[in-house]
Amino acid sequence: MLFYIIRRLAIALPTLTLLIVFSFLLMHMAPGGPFTAERELPPQVLANIEAKYGLDQPIYMQMLEYIYGLVAHFDFGPSFQYKDRAVNEIIATGFPVTLTYGTLSFIVAVLLGGLLGITAAIHRNSWLDYFAVGLSIGAQVLPNFVMGPILVLIFVLWLNLLPGGGWNGGQWQNLVLPVIALSTSYMASITRLTRSSMLEVLHSDFIRTARAKGLPKRVIIFKHALKPALLPLFSYLGPIFVSMITGSVVIDYYFSTGGIGIAFVNSALNRDYAVMMGVTILMGGLTILFNLLVDLAYAWIDPKIRY
C-alpha cells in the first residue's frame, strides 16, 4: 500500500506542475491585458505599470518568479485589478463561502442519491424504482441555472419563506436555496450510477450463492452487495466534490453569496492574471488531491487495485 501511495504522489506532483506552467502560458498568450481593458493608456504610463508588476520581463522570467513565490511562500501575488489586495486575501474571502455550501451540497447529493439508487435497485420495477428514476431524470434536466429561478419564485416570491440571496454569515436560511440548486443535478447522476451498479452486483454469481445459502436479504444487501456496488461511485465523487466546493458561478451570481466563482469570472473578464492563476491552481490542486484520496480509498476497499 505504501508503494501505491508513493506512486500516486509521483504522478500527482508533476501533473500539478504542468497545470501551473500551461495555465500561465495560455493566460499570457490571450489578447489584451489587465491595464488596457477600459481605455488605451499612454505608452509611458503603461510601461511604468507593467514594470511595477514585473510584466515587462520575458515570459519565462515571470513564470519562474511566480513559481518561486508560490513554492517558497505560497504567495499567489497581488491582484492587478483590486488595488492593495493580494490574491491570497481574495481566495481567503471567497473560498470559505463556497466550501460551506459546496460541502453541504455534496453531503445532500451523496446521501439522497445513494439512498434513492440503492432503494430503486432493491425494489426494481416497483413504484419506488419508478419514483427514484423519475425524480433523477427530472433533476437531471433542471440544471442549477434553471433550478435557481424556480426556487426563488416558489420559496421567496410565492411563499415568502426564505431570503432570495446574500450570505449573512452563513445562516441556514441563506444556505437552503443554494444547496438545493447545486445538489439536485449531482444527486440525479449519483442515483442513476448507484442504481445501475447495484443492479449489476445483485445479478452476480456470489450474490446468487449467498441467496442459495439462505442468508437474510438484509445481510446480502449490506454485507455482500453494498461494498462492491459503491466502487464505481467512488471514482465519481472526487471530481464532483471539487466542482461543488470550488463553487458554481451561477450559484454565486444568482444568490449573491460572494463565493470564489465571482472572483474567477471577474478576473477572466478583466485579464487579472494573478487571480485567474490563483483560482485555477486552487481548483487543479484540489482536483488532484481528491482524486488521489479517491484512488487510495478505492485501493483500500478493493485490494485488487493495489496490484
Side-chain angles (χ1 to χ4, degrees):
M1 188 67 174
L2 179 61
F3 177 74
Y4 181 80
I5 296 174
I6 295 174
R7 187 174 61 184
R8 298 302 299 172
L9 287 174
I11 297 174
L13 294 178
T15 303
L16 182 59
T17 304
L18 290 176
L19 171 68
I20 296 173
V21 171
F22 281 107
S23 299
F24 192 92
L25 294 176
L26 289 174
M27 289 180 186
H28 284 74
M29 289 172 59
F35 310 111
T36 59
E38 296 182 358
R39 58 187 178 86
E40 194 72 24
L41 296 176
Q44 187 62 38
V45 175
L46 182 61
N48 291 336
I49 296 177
E50 290 181 344
K52 176 183 177 181
Y53 291 99
L55 299 178
D56 58 336
Q57 300 180 12
I59 188 68
Y60 70 92
M61 287 296 299
Q62 298 181 41
M63 183 171 60
L64 290 177
E65 290 183 3
Y66 183 83
I67 294 176
Y68 173 76
L70 183 62
V71 174
H73 309 288
F74 199 69
D75 183 13
F76 291 105
S79 170
F80 296 155
Q81 295 294 327
Y82 301 98
K83 298 184 182 299
D84 301 325
R85 291 195 68 188
V87 179
N88 295 54
E89 298 176 8
I90 296 174
I91 293 177
T93 302
F95 182 62
V97 174
T98 55
L99 179 63
T100 300
Y101 74 74
T103 302
L104 292 175
S105 302
F106 177 79
I107 295 173
V108 170
V110 172
L111 291 181
L112 291 182
L115 181 62
L116 286 174
I118 293 172
T119 304
I122 295 175
H123 303 280
R124 186 183 182 185
N125 293 330
S126 67
W127 71 269
L128 287 172
D129 186 16
Y130 297 143
F131 172 76
V133 173
L135 183 63
S136 65
I137 294 176
Q140 193 78 55
V141 299
L142 290 175
N144 51 22
F145 61 86
V146 177
M147 182 67 71
I150 294 176
L151 293 174
V152 171
L153 182 65
I154 296 175
F155 291 99
V156 179
L157 299 180
W158 290 354
L159 301 179
N160 196 23
L161 294 177
L162 297 169
W167 185 241
N168 195 23
Q171 297 293 324
W172 71 267
Q173 297 92 336
N174 299 83
L175 284 170
V176 173
L177 297 185
V179 168
I180 295 176
L182 184 59
S183 62
T184 47
S185 59
Y186 293 104
M187 181 198 68
S189 301
I190 292 173
T191 299
R192 299 175 66 182
L193 180 61
T194 305
R195 179 183 180 275
S196 61
S197 179
M198 179 63 80
L199 284 176
E200 182 179 354
V201 171
L202 290 177
H203 289 84
S204 301
D205 292 335
F206 71 95
I207 297 296
R208 294 193 184 97
T209 303
R211 288 171 176 164
K213 290 182 178 180
L215 293 178
K217 185 176 181 180
R218 171 177 52 83
V219 175
I220 295 174
I221 296 298
F222 290 100
K223 187 175 181 180
H224 298 283
L226 185 60
K227 190 174 179 179
L230 293 180
L231 284 176
L233 182 62
F234 269 92
S235 59
Y236 180 64
L237 294 183
I240 69 168
F241 183 60
V242 176
S243 299
M244 289 184 178
I245 66 173
T246 51
S248 167
V249 175
V250 175
I251 299 299
D252 286 336
Y253 264 96
Y254 199 84
F255 294 103
S256 301
T257 59
I260 197 68
I262 294 179
F264 185 66
V265 173
N266 291 337
S267 65
L269 296 175
N270 297 325
R271 295 291 192 271
D272 196 343
Y273 300 139
V275 177
M276 279 195 292
M277 282 297 300
V279 179
T280 301
I281 294 172
L282 174 66
M283 296 175 64
L286 289 174
T287 302
I288 294 172
L289 172 63
F290 283 103
N291 280 334
L292 174 63
L293 294 178
V294 167
D295 288 341
L296 296 180
Y298 210 108
W300 175 70
I301 294 174
D302 188 0
K304 293 183 295 183
I305 301 297
R306 307 174 199 171
Y307 305 103

